[in-house]
Amino acid sequence: YASLPLFVYVMVRHSLLSAGVSDRILSDYLAAMLLAFGARGRPERVSEGDDELYDSLAALVKDVDAADPRRAFLVCAHLGNRALWIAGLFPDYIEQRRWRRSGPDLDYFEALGRRGFELAAKHRMAAHYGMASVYAAAAASFSLLRIALNRLSDRLMFPNNNTPERLMRQVADEARWKLAG
């Protein structure tokens, strides 16, 4: 039997390769992020030991310019991670919220996630920890990363969810992927 980390890495790697993203370090980063965010309460916290809970991306945006440089860096990285987590694995949830309660669409999540990774890449702590190139790559290919995770989610997590919104998203993503390639 394969371990959960190995299984997640292989699935992420395969999905990214099918979307045209061949960066192994980015695959490793996304697999690690998915495993970490799978822990209870982790998507709401910028680090495991953090006491502050963030219930939305907008709440994270408010703290991007925190006085403490370490906290600002963690918030920027978490903004990118959380946007990718939600938009990548739960796009149908985003669409349902959009139609039922006028919530934000996938473009909103992509814009904030891309911005979070861009800010994290430019932060001096990213260079100190050797993460600047990973965050820059995640920002540059955020749309493709989201599409790859959507495909993974559609196949493995929610295979029987067949809605018109999903079909429209898949068609739009396929067209976007072909234009990017």
Side-chain angles (χ1 to χ4, degrees):
Y1 297 103
S3 66
L4 180 61
L6 177 61
F7 176 76
V8 171
Y9 175 79
V10 169
M11 297 311 304
V12 167
R13 179 84 174 131
H14 179 73
S15 291
L16 290 178
L17 285 172
S18 72
V21 179
S22 61
D23 187 343
R24 287 185 179 157
I25 294 172
L26 201 51
S27 297
D28 190 43
Y29 178 80
L30 289 182
M33 183 269 294
L34 293 178
L35 286 167
F37 272 44
R40 185 170 186 208
R42 184 61 179 91
E44 290 84 22
R45 301 174 192 277
V46 296
S47 67
E48 280 187 38
D50 196 69
D51 292 334
E52 188 163 355
L53 298 176
Y54 292 93
D55 62 348
S56 67
L57 295 180
L60 283 163
V61 169
K62 285 187 349 186
D63 282 357
V64 162
D65 295 322
D68 176 24
R70 180 181 181 278
R71 180 147 194 90
F73 172 65
L74 291 174
V75 167
C76 291
H78 194 74
L79 177 61
N81 288 335
R82 184 159 179 192
L84 189 56
W85 164 263
I86 296 170
L89 296 182
F90 308 105
D92 297 330
Y93 171 74
I94 291 171
E95 285 300 310
Q96 288 299 316
R97 282 188 53 202
R98 181 175 151 226
W99 289 105
R100 288 186 183 160
R101 294 189 267 160
S102 299
D105 60 5
L106 284 171
D107 291 338
Y108 168 84
F109 284 84
E110 281 191 23
L112 286 182
R114 186 178 299 109
R115 185 69 181 141
F117 283 137
E118 286 171 351
L119 292 171
K122 293 176 185 174
H123 199 282
R124 64 181 170 85
M125 291 188 78
H128 175 75
Y129 289 115
M131 295 297 294
S133 62
V134 175
Y135 290 137
S141 58
F142 193 93
S143 294
L144 289 176
L145 299 179
R146 183 201 47 89
I147 290 169
L149 291 179
N150 287 169
R151 290 176 178 171
L152 180 71
S153 174
D154 290 349
R155 273 188 251 130
L156 293 178
M157 295 174 61
F158 308 105
N160 298 321
N161 185 11
N162 299 310
T163 63
E165 293 85 14
R166 175 182 273 190
L167 180 61
M168 294 303 294
R169 172 183 47 86
Q170 289 171 336
V171 168
D173 288 346
E174 190 68 26
R176 180 186 279 181
W177 178 75
K178 286 183 180 180
L179 286 175

